[in-house]
Amino acid sequence: MAADIFPRKKPASSSSSTVQQHHQQNLSNNNLIPAPNWQGLYPTIRERNAVMFNNDLMADVHFVVGPPGGTQRLPGHKYVLAVGSSVFHAMFYGELAEDKDEIRIPDVDPAAFLAMLKYIYCDEIDLAADTVLATLYAAKKYIVPHLARACVNFLETSLSAKNACVLLSQSCLFEEPDLTQRCWEVIDAQAELALKSEGFCDIDFQTLESILRRETLNAKEIVVFEAALNWAEVECQRQDLALSIENKRKVLGKALYLIRIPTMALDDFANGAAQSGVLTLNETNDIFLWYTAAKKPELQFVSKARKGLVPQRCHRFQSCAYRSNQWRYRGRCDSIQFAVDKRVFIAGFGLYGSSCGSAEYSAKIELKRQGVVLGQNLSKYFSDGSSSTFPVWFEYPVQIEPDTFYTASVILDGNELSYFGQEGMTEVQCGKVTVQFQCSSDSTNGTGVQGGQIPELIFYA
């Protein structure tokens, strides 16, 4: 994963190739004995310095890194470490410096500590998905800001609905506001996917409260409720509590009232929350009265629906038209490629409808990147005979990364004659997002940049 995000350096010379071999060896073996006159093998101070990485040669300090039972003893060189970190400088050369040959660091993962040492000694950043958070912790602890920034960039690049909730929790812990904002963007737009992810159950209580309190969460309230119960079940296990309804409610505490149960669809409440056992009998009765009675009871639950997100529409045609022999479908594919300059979340497409009266269409929409299907849905929409566009939605919004072309496709089945766009634009500014369009080889029904179907991209940004 790290190799995909941080490009590999081209081998420039035999000396750099040799020093890379040392790096690989030193990751697992710190007792190398360099060849006589090894200094002459490396033309730069950087390369000679790198030979000392995880090497016992001339080491004047050792670190015992990791928790009890999982420690690793690693060599260090005070001068090199002090040059790379103000914390190490204070530790070895400050007024309160202690002359210790061995320093214990139980709160840092050995692999993360090695990644930090590799940056300090070799000026190389080597990150992996399973250790990047631990590396960020080490970089923060020892004030190595450039490595910390690289960790945050790595996390932002790999951010998705599956890990957004966990990264939100960690970004608050590490005081990384930019990463926090990126996490919220993903959680808001892909709320249902984020809430159903395994990572949601791993968050701390404070993060749970902040998510349940979120006004722009784009999810049905029954999904929020079910996610909170899933979190409570895992939290009971963390606290060694029996998996009972009472204990689930206990660990949720006042966070339960942040779930906007009165805003659920009545069917969702009756068949879900009301029968979960988590609510008291009085709460259940009061919420039923809230739905049905003219005089509504006072509730502890928030009764105002979340605002969610307002979708934006990128319209790529300057006009539309119809002719007696166009636009016909017959199971053929209309397709267009697009790219954006900022991360967005495609929620669906706006499509044209019948040009000769009202009609119903069956639409199979699809979104691909380099041939890989990222999202698809089969649904129907009703066209009233006007030249308006009609929205067709994906089941979940699809995350779109900047500066990469994606393929939007639709196969329509319905009235053969419909409106079509014309005077298409290759670039459209939509709010703060710039969208570029180009023709797609998947298009077999005539749609292209200048004209055709798929007049609108519907997205969250």
Side-chain angles (χ1 to χ4, degrees):
M1 189 172 184
D4 296 334
I5 296 172
F6 297 96
R8 296 175 182 173
K9 296 181 179 180
K10 296 180 181 179
S13 65
S14 59
S15 63
S16 62
S17 176
T18 305
V19 83
Q20 287 175 0
Q21 293 174 5
H22 271 286
H23 296 176
Q24 293 301 318
Q25 290 175 315
N26 286 6
L27 286 173
S28 57
N29 179 5
N30 61 1
N31 295 307
L32 294 178
I33 302 176
N37 193 28
W38 60 270
Q39 293 89 342
L41 297 175
Y42 309 106
T44 68
I45 185 63
R46 175 185 172 276
E47 291 173 316
R48 292 192 291 274
N49 217 39
V51 176
M52 295 294 98
F53 164 58
N54 201 17
N55 196 330
D56 265 319
L57 182 67
M58 295 185 285
D60 50 2
V61 67
H62 284 79
F63 301 95
V64 180
V65 186
T71 60
Q72 190 171 344
R73 193 169 186 269
L74 303 173
H77 306 78
K78 292 181 180 179
Y79 166 76
V80 177
L81 295 169
V83 169
S85 160
S86 60
V87 174
F88 284 129
H89 181 273
M91 186 184 297
F92 301 133
Y93 302 107
E95 293 181 0
L96 302 177
E98 296 184 20
D99 189 18
K100 291 183 178 180
D101 293 331
E102 189 172 273
I103 298 172
R104 295 188 175 274
I105 308 176
D107 60 328
V108 177
D109 178 76
F113 196 79
L114 269 173
M116 182 180 69
L117 292 185
K118 186 172 184 180
Y119 171 73
I120 291 174
Y121 278 79
C122 311
D123 200 25
E124 291 183 12
I125 296 174
D126 188 8
L127 300 174
D130 55 347
T131 58
V132 63
L133 282 171
T135 304
L136 177 58
Y137 174 76
K140 287 278 188 175
K141 177 175 180 176
Y142 292 98
I143 312 181
V144 187
H146 296 293
L147 177 60
R149 184 67 250 168
C151 291
V152 171
N153 289 340
F154 183 99
L155 292 169
E156 288 181 356
T157 305
S158 58
L159 183 61
S160 69
K162 293 181 179 179
N163 60 17
C165 294
V166 171
L167 293 184
L168 174 67
S169 177
Q170 297 296 322
S171 68
C172 294
L173 176 65
F174 293 133
E175 298 180 339
E176 288 289 343
D178 289 344
L179 180 57
T180 299
Q181 178 59 30
R182 298 292 183 274
C183 290
W184 277 127
E185 290 172 3
V186 174
I187 293 169
D188 281 343
Q190 297 182 298
E192 295 196 359
L193 284 175
L195 293 171
K196 292 177 181 179
S197 68
E198 291 183 10
F200 178 79
C201 295
D202 295 330
I203 61 178
D204 58 89
F205 184 76
Q206 185 176 355
T207 305
L208 173 73
E209 282 189 309
S210 66
I211 293 175
L212 296 183
R213 194 177 284 115
R214 188 75 172 172
E215 188 69 29
T216 47
L217 209 60
N218 202 36
K220 294 179 181 177
E221 207 61 32
I222 186 62
V223 176
V224 179
F225 178 79
E226 291 170 348
L229 290 190
N230 291 337
W231 179 90
E233 183 174 327
V234 175
E235 182 65 15
C236 285
Q237 296 172 355
R238 282 193 287 262
Q239 296 186 23
D240 293 326
L241 297 174
L243 291 179
S244 64
I245 296 296
E246 294 77 13
N247 284 336
K248 287 182 182 180
R249 178 156 182 143
K250 177 183 177 182
V251 298
L252 281 171
K254 292 183 179 180
L256 177 65
Y257 297 112
L258 298 174
I259 305 172
R260 307 186 184 195
I261 294 177
T263 69
M264 289 181 185
L266 180 56
D267 285 349
D268 288 341
F269 174 71
N271 297 315
Q275 299 187 43
S276 67
V278 172
L279 305 179
T280 66
L281 184 58
N282 285 339
E283 288 170 342
T284 303
N285 289 338
D286 284 347
I287 294 172
F288 268 120
L289 287 174
W290 175 269
Y291 283 107
T292 57
K295 185 179 180 181
K296 300 184 184 300
E298 289 188 8
L299 301 174
Q300 287 185 273
F301 295 93
V302 179
S303 56
K304 183 181 178 182
R306 302 178 197 272
K307 292 180 181 178
L309 294 177
V310 178
Q312 299 183 47
R313 292 175 179 246
C314 175
H315 197 91
R316 67 188 189 92
F317 295 124
Q318 298 180 70
S319 65
C320 70
Y322 69 90
R323 291 196 288 272
S324 60
N325 62 342
Q326 288 185 336
W327 194 266
R328 296 179 181 274
Y329 297 109
R330 299 176 183 174
R332 292 190 291 260
C333 179
D334 288 286
S335 183
I336 191 73
Q337 288 194 328
F338 69 94
V340 294
D341 64 343
K342 293 180 176 62
R343 174 183 283 162
V344 300
F345 303 86
I346 297 292
F349 306 146
L351 303 177
Y352 288 124
S354 171
S355 59
C356 50
S358 60
E360 186 179 65
Y361 285 88
S362 173
K364 179 184 178 182
I365 59 173
E366 189 173 76
L367 199 55
K368 295 190 296 185
R369 178 183 179 182
Q370 297 177 348
V372 178
V373 176
L374 304 177
Q376 60 181 197
N377 199 20
L378 180 62
S379 62
K380 294 183 178 181
Y381 70 95
F382 181 78
S383 160
D384 60 7
S386 72
S387 60
S388 302
T389 58
F390 303 92
V392 180
W393 307 95
F394 289 104
E395 183 178 4
Y396 302 109
V398 180
Q399 182 170 313
I400 302 297
E401 297 298 333
D403 306 321
T404 300
F405 274 95
Y406 292 78
T407 303
S409 302
V410 59
I411 298 176
L412 286 168
D413 185 17
N415 195 319
E416 288 231 330
L417 299 179
S418 83
Y419 289 91
F420 60 92
Q422 57 186 14
E423 297 182 278
M425 296 173 283
T426 57
E427 183 172 297
V428 179
Q429 187 70 35
C430 190
K432 296 181 179 180
V433 180
T434 302
V435 187
Q436 292 181 318
F437 294 96
Q438 68 180 26
C439 293
S440 168
S441 60
D442 290 351
S443 191
T444 58
N445 199 42
T447 288
V449 172
Q450 296 302 318
Q453 256 287 7
I454 318 181
E456 285 182 337
L457 300 177
I458 306 174
F459 66 93
Y460 302 115

